[in-house]
Each structure stands twice: as C-alpha cells, then as structure tokens.
Amino acid sequence: MRRLTGPRAYAAVFAYKCAVTGTMFQLHARPNAMPEARLGIVISKRVLDKAVARNYCKRLMREVFRAASSSLSGTDIVARPRQPVTRANAAAARVELSGLLREACRRCARPKQAYAALPVRS
C-alpha cells in the first residue's frame, strides 16, 4: 500500500473536485497514472479530539483500504471521517468505507476531460 505524501499530492486530489460522502466518511478521489492506489488520511481534532481515537480511525481506514486496494488501482484517495469512529461503531464504519471506496473508484476513475468529450443529449 502506498500513501499520498506531501501537500501537493493532497492538493491535487482536492482540486480534482470528485467526492463521495457517507454518514461517517467523505472520500475525495482522483485518477493517477500509477498501477496502484494511494491513500491519504485527513482527521480533524474537531471530529476526534483524542490522539488515541485518531490513530484507531487511521488504522481502521488503512485496513479497509488495504483489503480493497486490488480493485482500486490507478486512483488517489483522501479519506476524511465526518463523525467519531470508535470500537462500538467500527463494523458499520468498515462497511460504509468499503462501499464508499468502490463508489469513489467508479465515479472518479475516469479523467474529467473524458466527460467533456461525451456527446450531449438534447
């Protein structure tokens, strides 16, 4: 598993403007020219104030990403939790995150320029 490194990589994903939102997570995605997917994680102290909780959430997100990474090839993803992820709701978080990863890959994998080339129906 590769990770997004540096502010430029994160800025490029955010600038692509392709996001998928659930109740617990928001994912931003962008196609890349690499054969593998990369993950970036952004967690605000407003959402998870304790470092232990933030680290648990990061581990959970990395684990779900690692399990789904074979189907996500060629995509950069930045994940943001929208509400606290604890051990009590970890199972629901895993299910939602895996569904959002599939949806983000499906919706954001095609370059934006390809949409401009599609014929417009009247």
Side-chain angles (χ1 to χ4, degrees):
M1 179 185 87
R2 298 206 41 197
R3 295 185 189 175
L4 289 176
T5 55
R8 284 186 173 177
Y10 283 85
V13 175
F14 288 130
Y16 192 69
K17 303 261 190 243
C18 186
V20 178
T21 304
T23 57
M24 299 180 81
F25 296 99
Q26 181 179 31
L27 299 180
H28 297 267
R30 171 182 184 254
N32 65 21
M34 297 180 201
E36 56 199 17
R38 298 188 303 172
L39 176 68
I41 299 173
V42 177
I43 300 181
S44 169
K45 287 184 182 180
R46 290 182 191 171
V47 175
L48 292 164
D49 57 346
K50 305 279 188 197
V52 172
R54 286 193 301 276
N55 290 335
Y56 178 76
C57 185
K58 287 178 190 178
R59 283 194 306 272
L60 185 137
M61 286 192 276
R62 286 186 194 121
E63 181 182 328
V64 172
F65 180 80
R66 206 174 286 122
S69 64
S70 62
S71 64
L72 303 172
S73 62
T75 308
D76 288 343
I77 296 173
V78 175
R80 286 180 159 167
R82 298 181 67 212
Q83 58 179 287
V85 176
T86 60
R87 293 183 197 278
N89 63 1
R94 289 173 201 269
V95 170
E96 179 179 322
L97 189 56
S98 62
L100 287 175
L101 283 169
R102 284 192 303 272
E103 178 67 19
C105 188
R106 183 189 66 77
R107 190 183 297 178
C108 304
R110 191 169 13 165
K112 293 284 186 183
Q113 295 81 18
Y115 288 111
L118 292 177
V120 178
R121 294 184 183 172
S122 300

